[in-house]
Amino acid sequence: MNQPDNSPNSQDDLAHQPSSGSLSARARAAVAPQLAYLSGLNPEQRAAVEATEGPVLVLAGAGTGKTRVLTTRIAHLIATGRAWPSQILAVTFTNKAAREMRERIGRAIGEVAEGMQWLGTFHSIGTKILRRHAELVGLRSDFTILGTDDQLRLMKQVIEAEGIDEKRWPARQLAGLIDAWKNRGLGPDQVAAGEAGAFANGKGGRLYRAYQERLKVLNAVDFGDLLLECLRLWREHPDILEQYQDRFRYMLVDEYQDTNVAQYLWLRLLAQKRKNLCCVGDDDQSIYGWRGAEVDNILRFEHDFPGAIVIRLERNYRSTGHILSAASVLIAKNQGRLGKTLRTEDELGEKVTITGAWDSEDEARLIGEEIEALHAKKHPLSEIAILVRISAQMREIEDRLVQLGVPYRVIGGPRFYERAEIRDALAYLRVVNQPADDLAFERIVNVPKRGLGDATIQVLHNHARAARVPMMEAARFIVETDELKPKPRATLRDLLISFGRWSKLSETMSQSEVAQIVLEESGYTDMWQKEKSADAAGRLENLKELVRSMEEFPDLQSFLEHVSLVMEANESDTSERVSLMTLHAAKGLEFDTVFLPGWEEGLFPNQRALDESGRAGLEEERRLAHVGITRAKRRAKIYFASNRRIHGLWNSTVPSRFVDDLPEANVEIVEAPANFSYGGGYGGGSRFDRMQPFSGSSYQTPGWQRAQAHRASTEDGGSSARRSRDRRGPMMIEGELVAKSTGSSGFTVGGRVLHSKFGPGTIEAVDGNKLTVEFDKAGRKMVLDSFVEALG
DNA sequence: CTTAAACGGGTTTTT
DNA sequence: CCCGTTTAAG
């Protein structure tokens, strides 16, 4: 399977391939206009679907039905016989987007979507291609995909090996540079000497090359390589490139404004021959420039692909008039854009509100109050979002929501496979699977702590390097010598024996069984069980989920790939909660009501973006503002504070210039209620109005943990009796939300309960539907009875 | 080798 | 202020 099978009788293609000119194809095309999937489209959307041949750029403004066009276009290509599902390349940026697209195509045309094996992210498709031709780029087909932490460790080693002071030239910085180079499609030999010289007194280029060499030795790639190595493969092997060019009769790209140079080159190579490339994007929503995305790719499309058709989708189906108009006027201030005018046939609706707050605490309070008010009017919490510029803004807001007892969820944050426990577990499996995986070995050799610290690792390193063998092998040698003190020597020997045993097990047992055993016997699960911190229970839960999901994969190899590339935390939680996230994380989402706090100079537009990228930076910030406003369907609420704490110090701030960019006709200035809090922390109600949150996963959030910590420290001062007596406004919310759960619970002090996150525990106190439970693993918590079940 | 205290640095983060 | 990381003491 080293070649893309393009032959008529291959497994993935059906036997008969109609060419676009064949009778059957034309006959099927003739019935297309009556096909149901076309009927609901507006004229522009329909044009975008039906312009199948040649390069097409679809400029799809926010809320104009971009995904719909994309999926319908694919359905159309298949239904009219222009291509088999396996001949269509459809690229997205996120796995989520890929999944959604697959679902929607399936809904449009049935199970044929299953045949779309080339629908995925740039990275997953790149991986698939690379595995088939790995040996041509100096890899084996079972290469490992490194995560950020592995990369960093590797770079540290490379820097050290070159005799460079890691303090002065941190690995992080090198990682950033190399990442940027890879984003621009530059290999070690193509980086301009001057640019590479900026790091470590001219050694940047050498370090890059050394890093790449180390990757090859380890049979590993990083994310950037998944694209870069494809480029190299195709350039060095034109025959293989041509196979793919022929295979992909039609290519579609989502979020084209976010492509970087490497991705652009990747697409251009593939599209060169047939030129059936359809890119969908919105230059006004390009917000990843700092990560290498080139707005230029979309601005230059017509130039790069001569004869391209450009179709604009300008009818917005999401927002009401005032919101859309405010967003349009704002974004029109940008110079570098292709220009679109969004319009809606919806009513004007509510104006965009702008509210000035005294300080950031006050701002959080105001938002909290509005959410309470909305909720009292039966506005679903799941249709409310708070979008911040930087994560640091979340803290105060979270604290306030916790105080009010408003359930919320934080979107974004570390991905499932980025979490320490997942990466640790995977490292164990990687070593079992491939003992030569030094990075993985190094990661877990002393996790859990078993007394094999830096000194021991250093010895292993030296030997491994001198003998040019993997560390595992070096370790085998060293335990036979007296180079190590007796204790670490014995520990290391035990560990080696264990790994030998596990490797043997994996020959006969299923991987989930092996994983289970490895995690148990290595003491890894124990480590978290002993840990009493609030998130230990969650981590164990994640590990369980990991083992569970392994069962679905045929072998460890495909599982490891799935985890490093695709797997993400269960975010299928549709419960009633407010969403809190950064503006970046909000792209592609929509909510009835959107709160936009922190519109202040310095914060938004962010000073650093301005300093580093000048006008381009400002324009990207403005696009971010545009993205923020256009997330709102019916209500957009902008806030700014006159004082904000930055790095612990209070600074006075001025409203964002973006506020002044908004058209007066579409905005309304809201006077903040008079109960300002002048920094004293008493604003908006008693400090005793805090209460327990009542939602499952907010327990994991930092805000809740902080509230817990605070509660513990004030336990003596404000007794719980006092707290509940003094609760005011928030009670209402609680009363309503809690009404669902059993008022008079059957729980009694001393009873045993099971909580989905915290595990088993003993009830210490019962207060209405609130239980105080001493959990065996997670310590004492207050929980609502509806979140636990009685045991035994 | 492990733990606790000092230190420094602090946008955004699809893969 | 709050975090992760490095350093000095057990």
Side-chain angles (χ1 to χ4, degrees):
Chain A
M1 284 278 278
N2 287 329
Q3 311 241 317
D5 24 29
N6 203 22
S7 54
N9 57 355
S10 68
Q11 298 175 337
D12 41 44
D13 291 329
L14 301 179
H16 172 65
Q17 295 197 6
S19 68
S20 52
S22 74
L23 269 184
S24 65
R26 274 185 288 143
R28 290 170 81 177
V31 302
Q34 288 131 44
L35 290 173
Y37 56 76
L38 288 173
S39 61
L41 301 177
N42 68 32
E44 297 79 36
Q45 290 174 329
R46 183 157 177 168
V49 167
E50 295 189 308
T52 56
E53 311 306 307
V56 179
L57 176 64
V58 180
L59 289 172
T64 55
K66 171 193 71 150
T67 312
R68 179 158 192 204
V69 163
L70 225 35
T71 52
T72 310
R73 188 178 161 100
I74 292 173
H76 184 67
L77 289 170
I78 296 171
T80 56
R82 286 180 167 83
W84 295 111
S86 62
Q87 294 170 325
I88 297 171
L89 176 76
V91 203
T92 64
F93 272 83
T94 66
N95 295 300
K96 192 168 151 229
R99 227 180 2 255
E100 280 169 9
M101 197 180 291
R102 189 178 295 279
E103 265 169 39
R104 290 179 67 160
I105 297 168
R107 245 177 285 151
I109 57 169
E111 316 76 68
V112 200
E114 298 307 313
M116 290 215 49
Q117 46 189 307
W118 299 103
L119 187 166
T121 62
F122 277 102
H123 299 270
S124 64
I125 291 171
T127 307
K128 199 164 176 174
I129 292 170
L130 270 190
R131 290 227 191 269
R132 293 184 172 190
H133 312 282
E135 69 291 348
L136 294 178
V137 292
L139 292 164
R140 278 177 278 122
S141 72
D142 62 343
F143 59 78
T144 311
I145 301 164
L146 262 36
T148 331
D149 45 0
D150 286 322
Q151 276 177 64
L152 227 49
R153 215 196 324 279
L154 191 55
M155 284 192 201
K156 261 188 196 136
Q157 290 174 16
V158 170
I159 290 173
E160 219 168 281
E162 289 283 324
I164 294 164
D165 181 12
E166 216 258 286
K167 300 267 153 46
R168 228 167 97 64
W169 302 103
R172 282 203 160 283
Q173 197 185 330
L174 181 64
L177 277 173
I178 292 182
D179 189 50
W181 287 328
K182 289 188 173 179
N183 284 156
R184 282 159 53 201
L186 302 173
D189 303 319
Q190 295 149 308
V191 179
E195 201 179 337
F199 189 84
N201 306 320
K203 289 182 180 150
R206 191 149 100 220
L207 290 168
Y208 184 10
R209 188 165 298 112
Y211 169 70
Q212 291 304 119
E213 278 164 15
R214 283 290 294 152
L215 282 174
K216 287 282 144 64
V217 171
L218 291 165
N219 189 34
V221 296
D222 61 22
F223 279 123
D225 288 336
L226 292 174
L227 296 166
L228 221 53
E229 294 290 358
C230 278
L231 292 179
R232 198 153 74 84
L233 170 75
W234 288 334
R235 285 187 182 134
E236 291 174 7
H237 302 274
D239 53 316
I240 290 173
L241 171 62
E242 200 172 355
Q243 287 168 17
Y244 285 102
Q245 288 174 333
D246 287 332
R247 158 174 287 263
F248 301 137
R249 299 188 168 203
Y250 295 92
M251 300 169 53
L252 298 93
V253 186
D254 191 15
E255 307 279 17
Y256 187 64
Q257 77 281 354
D258 289 333
T259 50
N260 60 36
V261 172
Q263 288 157 342
Y264 164 76
L265 294 169
W266 195 92
L267 288 169
R268 201 179 62 176
L269 277 177
L270 282 178
Q272 232 163 34
K273 191 167 175 187
R274 292 181 179 265
K275 300 194 166 57
N276 292 330
L277 174 66
C278 173
C279 294
V280 181
D282 181 2
D283 49 322
D284 292 335
Q285 292 188 62
S286 165
I287 54 176
Y288 284 101
W290 51 273
R291 237 189 139 274
E294 283 282 337
V295 210
D296 254 24
N297 287 348
I298 197 166
L299 301 178
R300 281 195 342 244
F301 189 86
E302 289 178 83
H303 173 261
D304 292 332
F305 299 97
I309 302 170
V310 179
I311 295 168
R312 284 180 162 75
L313 304 183
E314 297 177 304
R315 162 135 188 222
N316 174 291
Y317 293 91
R318 179 186 293 152
S319 311
T320 46
H322 283 306
I323 292 171
L324 200 60
S325 168
S328 301
V329 171
L330 172 86
I331 198 64
K333 310 265 175 187
N334 271 5
Q335 306 288 309
R337 64 189 289 258
L338 292 167
K340 285 185 302 322
T341 314
L342 291 177
R343 57 174 202 281
T344 177
E345 285 169 24
D346 205 344
E347 56 180 4
L348 279 173
E350 292 181 30
K351 289 184 176 181
V352 174
T353 67
I354 299 171
T355 311
W358 168 249
D359 61 21
S360 42
E361 278 175 16
D362 201 38
E363 178 188 65
R365 214 197 70 237
L366 291 169
I367 291 174
E369 280 169 6
E370 290 221 44
I371 292 175
E372 282 189 275
L374 287 167
H375 183 258
K377 285 189 275 178
K378 306 282 181 234
H379 188 305
L381 296 182
S382 59
E383 281 294 333
I384 298 176
I386 306 169
L387 311 181
V388 296
R389 172 68 248 261
I390 63 171
S391 308
Q393 286 173 263
M394 290 188 188
R395 198 181 336 280
E396 276 179 303
I397 296 171
E398 273 193 75
D399 283 347
R400 189 63 209 170
L401 294 178
V402 169
Q403 284 181 3
L404 293 174
V406 173
Y408 67 95
R409 118 186 75 211
V410 175
I411 305 210
R415 304 260 151 299
F416 186 78
Y417 58 83
E418 295 263 330
R419 297 181 189 192
E421 69 275 17
I422 299 303
R423 296 220 60 96
D424 287 340
L426 289 177
Y428 270 105
L429 299 178
R430 274 162 60 189
V431 177
V432 169
N433 184 231
Q434 196 184 109
D437 193 332
D438 278 4
L439 289 170
F441 179 79
E442 223 177 310
R443 183 184 177 102
I444 47 78
V445 69
N446 200 30
V447 180
K449 300 234 179 327
R450 36 170 87 89
L452 300 173
D454 288 347
T456 314
I457 291 171
Q458 202 53 51
V459 171
L460 290 177
H461 241 163
N462 293 343
H463 265 267
R465 190 151 299 171
R468 294 182 175 280
V469 295
M471 288 177 75
M472 179 75 98
E473 207 167 306
R476 280 219 184 78
F477 175 76
I478 283 167
V479 292
E480 302 302 328
T481 70
D482 6 315
E483 198 159 337
L484 291 173
K485 298 207 180 83
K487 218 177 192 169
R489 187 177 154 188
T491 316
L492 186 58
R493 167 173 290 149
D494 286 349
L495 188 65
L496 291 175
I497 293 171
S498 294
F499 269 113
R501 186 173 63 248
W502 296 329
S503 295
K504 206 155 254 134
L505 280 180
S506 64
E507 287 163 18
T508 54
M509 291 169 102
S510 80
Q511 41 244 317
S512 60
E513 287 171 310
V514 175
Q516 186 74 44
I517 289 170
V518 170
L519 293 179
E520 290 288 331
E521 291 186 358
S522 63
Y524 192 75
T525 335
D526 257 10
M527 180 181 92
W528 288 116
Q529 264 154 6
K530 284 199 200 94
E531 168 117 15
K532 285 259 171 173
S533 70
D535 52 33
R539 290 177 191 272
L540 285 166
E541 192 54 44
N542 287 338
L543 288 171
K544 260 192 219 150
E545 171 65 25
L546 186 80
V547 172
R548 224 191 335 265
S549 63
M550 284 181 81
E551 290 165 8
E552 298 163 27
F553 293 85
D555 53 83
L556 195 55
Q557 163 78 37
S558 55
F559 172 75
L560 288 175
E561 178 169 318
H562 175 256
V563 173
S564 58
L565 227 45
V566 178
M567 192 160 178
E568 45 203 73
N570 293 343
E571 274 181 17
S572 53
D573 187 356
T574 51
S575 58
E576 267 303 291
R577 301 153 122 80
V578 172
S579 298
L580 177 59
M581 68 193 97
T582 63
L583 286 159
H584 285 90
K587 196 174 70 168
L589 305 178
E590 58 177 30
F591 301 88
D592 273 340
T593 301
V594 169
F595 291 90
L596 299 161
W599 283 42
E600 296 136 35
E601 283 295 304
L603 177 62
F604 189 34
N606 191 273
Q607 192 57 49
R608 201 147 146 186
L610 263 37
D611 292 344
E612 284 172 13
S613 317
R615 204 194 74 182
L618 174 64
E619 297 210 337
E620 181 152 317
E621 294 287 303
R622 192 178 274 117
R623 291 194 290 269
L624 212 40
H626 172 253
V627 166
I629 296 174
T630 53
R631 295 313 95 193
K633 290 192 271 191
R634 321 216 72 84
R635 258 180 301 272
K637 302 187 149 295
I638 294 167
Y639 294 77
F640 63 84
S642 304
N643 296 281
R644 186 171 296 272
R645 198 168 14 206
I646 299 163
H647 304 332
L649 301 169
W650 284 98
N651 290 69
S652 99
T653 50
V654 295
S656 169
R657 68 191 79 184
F658 298 150
V659 170
D660 295 319
D661 286 345
L662 298 171
E664 255 180 77
N666 305 305
V667 302
E668 178 192 355
I669 311 293
V670 177
E671 291 298 326
N675 53 350
F676 272 13
S677 63
Y678 287 92
Y682 289 88
S686 160
R687 58 158 54 173
F688 298 112
D689 66 359
R690 66 184 71 254
M691 45 171 282
Q692 295 309 304
F694 41 79
S695 58
S697 70
S698 9
Y699 290 124
Q700 303 166 327
T701 69
W704 188 78
Q705 284 165 26
R706 276 192 303 282
Q708 279 295 90
H710 185 259
R711 202 173 65 81
S713 67
T714 53
E715 200 83 354
D716 330 7
S719 72
S720 64
R722 169 147 185 206
R723 271 201 307 280
S724 49
R725 196 169 49 241
D726 282 359
R727 272 197 305 260
R728 306 199 312 229
M731 278 290 279
M732 304 236 316
I733 266 212
E734 187 204 22
E736 284 180 22
L737 288 170
V738 157
K740 296 182 268 191
S741 60
T742 49
S744 59
S745 60
F747 294 104
T748 50
V749 174
R752 294 282 290 166
V753 293
L754 182 69
H755 186 276
S756 62
K757 290 245 153 43
F758 302 139
T762 308
I763 299 175
E764 302 243 292
V766 181
D767 174 18
N769 50 5
K770 289 191 285 299
L771 312 175
T772 305
V773 180
E774 180 70 34
F775 288 103
D776 301 355
K777 297 280 162 20
R780 181 191 294 178
K781 314 267 181 211
M782 276 246 252
V783 296
L784 278 194
D785 57 7
S786 50
F787 287 99
V788 297
E789 59 181 271
L791 277 181

